[in-house]
Amino acid sequence: MTLRRLRVCDSGRFLVHDDGQPFFWLGDTCWLLFRTMTLDEAEHYLSVRQQQGFNVIQASLVHGLPTQNRFGNQPFVDNDPSQPILLGEENPEGYWEHIDNILTIAEQKSMYMALVPWWGSVVRRKQVSVAQAKAYGAWLAQRFRGRPNIIWLNGGDTRGDIGQEIWDALGEAIKAIDTEHLMSYHPVGRTASSMWFHNRSWLDFNMFQSGHCRYGQAGMDGRTDHYGPDNWRYVEDDYNLTPVKPTIDGEPSYELIPQGLHDYREPLWQAHDVRRYAYWSVFAGAFGHTYGHCSVMKMQTEDSPRPSLSKPWKEAIFDEGGTQMQHLKNLILSYPYMDRIPDQSVIVGEQGEKYERVAVTRGKDYLLAYIYTGREFSLRMGVIQGSKVQAFWYDPRTGARTIVGQLENAGVMTFKPPGEHRDGNDWVLILESAGDE
């Protein structure tokens, strides 16, 4: 199957293939892929993620300076990004040649690679100049412009107001040559690209990092005045901006990472937590979602030092949170795509505080309502077409539907999900127009 290039749809809300077909971004964060994996390992990793429904892998081309790949080869002469080291196709273990081969594997599997040119630490540590950013950006654009499966992620876990002139220079240099590939900015936790770059011509869509903190928990910056797990709030912020641009959570809490990120005395985020992040953000209007796993992000191996609660990445890629992400993608793509909007106005009574929130998205003839705790909730009927609706419960763990029955599409109706009222008993209510019979 020929892999098609991506573009922003006419409404500015979603991504589509260049033939107009919907594209739901289901990403995984594997930042160290190019630095740590052999080709055989990359083939295995990408094959598993492809089978699980993932279609975007977020990875860093240069994850800090100095750096080298699995084979000891470096990307630049004297750590100077304006002087890339090319060994030639006959040397597949070279830094850039190895990246080329992995990108080819991904393309063969119809997977897109969201590439961070260099990690944010390179700029924070003042290891590069504006001139080097321009030269490096132009070189990257020339090298990769012909590949159909590239997405550019400027930044790399960092604030946009630190070295902003370098981020602008890098983005502008790439876009001056490579006009075919989309670009965003991957920011530090609890911030969004729109805070600094929304009006930049090089930024095609927004990305935020909702981060790894629970409610009231201070992050690495010591702040608690952020949205915590409420990643839907970042979507709402971006959704109301002009000009309209798509938005996505590019890094929510990873599965099995400590709440707050680094302290393993803290509870670990579980599969039901990563599901909540995904459904909350997409139902709020995001064009897709990025999942992450602590062990995959770190590329933990059997031999690498790691906390006792961690596991090798080859095991972690089969953990339940990651395998369950495809059910969200399948659900969204099973309905008309372009007319989907968030609509909290249909909720009667309280929308719910914190984990009790009901999140609603709908089109003209369908409505989806997600609840994380299994509590009952009430909806104002009649907002989708038809005098009657067919109702189902959709299980985010399995993708299975349980029929509720045909209901009148009028008045107010209360719904009680299966099971008990508790955190992690999450369900999606589906209402489909059933005609006027």
Side-chain angles (χ1 to χ4, degrees):
M1 183 177 72
T2 302
L3 190 146
R4 308 192 71 97
R5 294 177 185 265
L6 302 175
R7 64 177 176 86
V8 176
C9 74
D10 294 342
S11 73
R13 295 296 185 195
F14 307 111
L15 301 189
V16 295
H17 296 280
D18 58 10
D19 62 355
Q21 293 301 304
F23 177 77
F24 183 91
W25 173 308
L26 185 59
D28 186 29
T29 47
C30 189
W31 301 121
L32 304 180
L33 188 160
F34 300 120
R35 193 175 81 180
T36 61
M37 286 192 187
T38 64
L39 281 184
D40 286 344
E41 289 170 335
E43 169 77 36
H44 174 66
Y45 165 74
L46 292 170
S47 293
V48 170
R49 284 307 194 219
Q50 178 196 32
Q51 293 164 11
Q52 293 169 340
F54 290 90
N55 53 16
V56 178
I57 304 299
Q58 296 174 199
S60 182
L61 290 174
V62 176
H63 203 81
L65 287 175
T67 191
Q68 60 185 24
N69 65 11
R70 179 76 168 265
F71 313 103
N73 291 309
Q74 298 180 353
F76 309 122
V77 176
D78 297 328
N79 297 317
D80 180 357
S82 67
Q83 300 186 66
I85 298 174
L86 296 177
L87 300 183
E89 292 182 3
E90 67 278 10
N91 292 284
E93 295 181 354
Y95 194 94
W96 296 103
E97 291 78 9
H98 183 60
I99 287 174
D100 286 338
N101 290 328
I102 292 178
L103 293 177
T104 296
I105 293 173
E107 181 179 344
Q108 292 168 348
K109 299 181 184 301
S110 296
M111 299 187 76
Y112 295 83
M113 300 297 298
L115 304 179
V116 176
W118 54 40
W119 203 241
S121 59
V122 173
V123 174
R124 291 196 303 273
R125 294 170 183 169
K126 299 181 179 181
Q127 294 177 288
V128 293
S129 65
V130 168
Q132 288 173 315
K134 291 179 178 179
Y136 180 49
W139 181 81
L140 287 176
Q142 290 284 6
R143 186 168 184 83
F144 297 119
R145 64 190 297 188
R147 289 187 176 272
N149 64 329
I150 300 300
I151 302 165
W152 293 111
L153 291 187
N154 206 347
D157 199 32
T158 192
R159 292 182 62 89
D161 55 356
I162 298 176
Q164 191 170 56
E165 68 282 0
I166 292 179
W167 300 122
D168 277 327
L170 182 60
E172 291 166 2
I174 292 174
K175 278 291 192 173
I177 296 171
D178 182 3
T179 60
E180 298 294 318
H181 294 128
L182 298 177
M183 179 180 288
S184 188
Y185 182 93
H186 176 263
V188 73
R190 302 167 302 281
T191 67
S193 61
S194 57
M195 294 172 62
W196 308 286
F197 303 116
H198 182 74
N199 292 310
R200 297 298 201 273
S201 60
W202 55 260
L203 188 121
D204 297 298
F205 63 92
N206 278 307
M207 177 174 282
F208 60 92
Q209 181 187 157
S210 57
H212 307 276
C213 296
R214 63 176 177 266
Y215 293 112
Q217 187 177 39
M220 294 182 66
D221 56 4
R223 291 173 48 241
T224 58
D225 59 337
H226 50 76
Y227 292 149
D230 289 348
N231 64 344
W232 56 269
R233 296 183 186 273
Y234 295 96
V235 181
E236 283 193 347
D237 288 349
D238 285 350
Y239 204 85
N240 292 321
L241 295 175
T242 54
V244 174
K245 291 186 177 182
T247 190
I248 190 170
D249 191 345
E251 188 175 331
S253 292
Y254 293 147
E255 187 169 9
L256 297 189
I257 207 166
Q259 295 179 14
L261 197 58
H262 292 302
D263 187 351
Y264 274 82
R265 294 170 297 181
E266 294 283 357
L268 305 184
W269 293 110
Q270 302 295 322
H272 53 81
D273 296 303
V274 300
R275 292 198 305 269
R276 181 187 67 246
Y277 277 100
Y279 285 81
W280 271 0
S281 63
V282 170
F283 281 28
F287 66 85
H289 187 71
T290 295
Y291 160 86
H293 192 292
C294 181
S295 295
V296 177
M297 176 271 294
K298 294 181 178 180
M299 281 287 99
Q300 297 281 5
T301 67
E302 290 282 2
D303 301 323
S304 61
R306 63 183 190 274
S308 59
L309 294 174
S310 191
K311 63 178 66 174
W313 69 264
K314 291 182 180 180
E315 296 178 21
I317 55 177
F318 296 103
D319 277 359
E320 58 179 330
T323 63
Q324 293 165 353
M325 288 294 105
Q326 61 188 307
H327 303 315
L328 171 60
K329 174 186 169 188
N330 294 339
L331 176 65
I332 295 297
L333 290 176
S334 66
Y335 293 101
Y337 195 77
M338 298 304 175
D339 63 348
R340 183 174 70 86
I341 61 170
D343 189 357
Q344 296 299 107
S345 71
V346 305
I347 300 169
V348 177
E350 295 294 325
Q351 296 185 14
E353 292 294 319
K354 297 184 177 179
Y355 292 157
E356 299 287 7
R357 174 179 174 80
V358 181
V360 177
T361 188
R362 67 172 179 86
K364 295 177 181 177
D365 58 4
Y366 72 95
L367 181 149
L368 310 174
Y370 174 80
I371 180 65
Y372 172 67
T373 63
R375 74 170 176 92
E376 70 175 24
F377 56 91
S378 299
L379 300 179
R380 174 173 54 88
M381 307 296 283
V383 297
I384 61 174
Q385 297 172 348
S387 61
K388 296 182 183 297
V389 296
Q390 191 71 40
F392 306 86
W393 287 113
Y394 184 81
D395 189 342
R397 290 156 287 272
T398 65
R401 295 181 182 219
T402 302
I403 191 167
V404 175
Q406 194 170 94
L407 308 172
E408 294 293 329
N409 192 21
V412 174
M413 197 158 292
T414 299
F415 300 91
K416 176 62 178 75
E420 60 183 310
H421 182 181
R422 61 171 176 80
D423 289 353
N425 182 33
D426 53 333
W427 292 89
V428 177
L429 173 71
I430 299 175
L431 300 180
E432 297 177 352
S433 296
D436 294 315
E437 300 91 322

